Amino acid sequence: QIIFDPHTPNGNPNNNDLCNRRIRASANGRSVDLTVVDRCVICGANDLDLSQSAFEALGYHVDQATTALAAEPAPPALTYLYSVNLTFAEPISIGAVPYGTRDLLTISGGNVVGPKITGKIGTGLDWGLTDRQGIFSPDALYSLHTNDNATILVFEKGHAPHVHILFETASPKYAWLNNIVAYATGGPNDVGIGLDVWQVCLTFFFFFF
């Protein structure tokens, strides 16, 4: 759906310009050439609905009762996006809640430097929870303003030191961020919180021809 839907004019998949196009799917060190037929309405956003023969050509095994992997699947790859330092105003303590202690943290600024994105952090909020074991789980929303004048919303959730990130932007240049998942890890530093952010890349790769 991530690849198919942007090529659907006026929401009508019957007019999608990828239909009948040839693509190449790769996994497990193998490739198979396919023809795009239609939109899989029950698939996940990152899924491909393949014929059994195409699935087996990519190194997987299918029988009538079960679907089993012929080999251990390749782990997802990571592409480094940027590093960010977040600064905070004085926290507002909400206090003890059923699952721990919650504080309202106002994100007051910060900077972003990396090969994919460089800029400044605007404002935002983190209403994360510290559980009874002392582990902080962020739940944040803030704005990122790039050096080339794009504005990106950043959504963070996780279980420190591991953070799951989604993005939202209207910028054509950074529209690719709307369709990815990012992983970040980090922790407190001299100015606030520092995170290194990586794009989680799909196992399948597609080539149009």
Side-chain angles (χ1 to χ4, degrees), residues 124-149:
L125 290 173
D126 188 338
W127 46 93
L129 180 77
T130 302
D131 68 19
R132 293 185 176 89
Q133 286 72 47
I135 297 174
F136 179 69
S137 295
D139 192 349
L141 169 64
Y142 56 88
S143 62
L144 188 165
H145 305 276
T146 68
N147 285 356
D148 49 4
N149 299 315

Side-chain angles (χ1 to χ4, degrees), residues 32-52:
V32 61
D33 293 341
L34 308 167
T35 300
V36 178
V37 177
D38 56 18
R39 185 182 191 275
C40 177
V41 296
I42 63 171
C43 294
N46 298 323
D47 293 344
L48 274 182
D49 183 18
L50 302 180
S51 66
Q52 179 174 332

